[in-house]
Amino acid sequence: MRAAVRVFHEQGVEKTTLGDVARAAEVPLGNVYYYFKTKDLLVEAAVDAHCAQLDALTRQLDALPDPAARLRALVAGWVEQRETAARFGCPFGTLATELDKRDDGLDLAAAKVMRAMLDWVESQFAQLGRADAAALAVELLAAYQGMSVLTNTLRDPGLMAAQGERLLSWIDGIAAGR
């Protein structure tokens, strides 16, 4: 599954074959077919893997002492991935965008993962006492997706680092009640 997530991110769903995934996983093609009869089943499993990664990440972040620290750690994690973003874009955002062009239900599955991220971020802003927590969550996630697209398009990881610093300052201002 990790190989499929990586190859879908690097090549896109449409260009990826089950053979590509088998090579990346260093397993015989038959092994991939045994577990995933179609590429769509593999894509669905990749979306589920992103959901599991998000659950693990938010559990880890929830161990931090306060919501501002959790949001800061989230942004710092995004910035740490700036080299990957410069080369391939956001691991989930690119997949969600590609799946949105399809009409097979996988677009709705991807939307559920993005909604889960929005809900978690919104809960952090709500814990900071913000009545506009939903709008702030959209703003933060949109800022990340935007900086990820620009970082990828311009192949400039420094852009993500600079924008990440701006987001950290923005979070600090919100946490301080400004």
Side-chain angles (χ1 to χ4, degrees), residues 59-178:
R59 276 194 310 275
Q60 182 180 15
L61 292 173
D62 283 339
L64 295 174
D66 65 82
R70 292 188 283 271
L71 291 168
R72 288 180 58 78
L74 176 66
V75 171
W78 290 338
V79 171
E80 284 176 13
Q81 298 298 314
R82 65 188 175 274
E83 296 294 335
T84 300
R87 183 125 188 246
F88 304 111
C90 169
F92 187 72
T94 55
L95 178 64
T97 300
E98 189 172 359
L99 294 179
D100 187 58
K101 293 173 179 48
R102 299 167 58 147
D103 191 22
D104 57 8
L106 290 171
D107 55 333
L108 299 175
K112 285 183 2 186
V113 178
M114 195 67 79
R115 172 51 59 195
M117 181 82 239
L118 270 173
D119 290 347
W120 184 86
V121 172
E122 180 181 347
S123 75
Q124 302 313 303
F125 285 119
Q127 289 174 46
L128 287 171
R130 295 299 300 237
D132 58 348
L136 292 171
V138 169
E139 190 170 344
L140 180 60
L141 205 52
Y144 166 62
Q145 289 301 323
M147 70 188 200
S148 184
V149 167
L150 287 172
T151 295
N152 178 243
T153 302
L154 301 174
R155 299 290 195 266
D156 182 3
L159 189 145
M160 183 168 274
Q163 292 304 303
E165 286 300 318
R166 292 189 70 190
L167 286 176
L168 293 174
S169 294
W170 178 73
I171 291 166
D172 289 344
I174 289 170
R178 292 181 261 156

Side-chain angles (χ1 to χ4, degrees), residues 1-10 21 24-25 36 42 45-46 49-50 53:
M1 185 46 46
R2 283 190 303 271
V5 168
R6 188 180 83 245
V7 175
F8 287 146
H9 182 214
E10 293 173 1
V21 173
F36 306 100
L42 186 57
H50 279 287
Q53 288 173 338

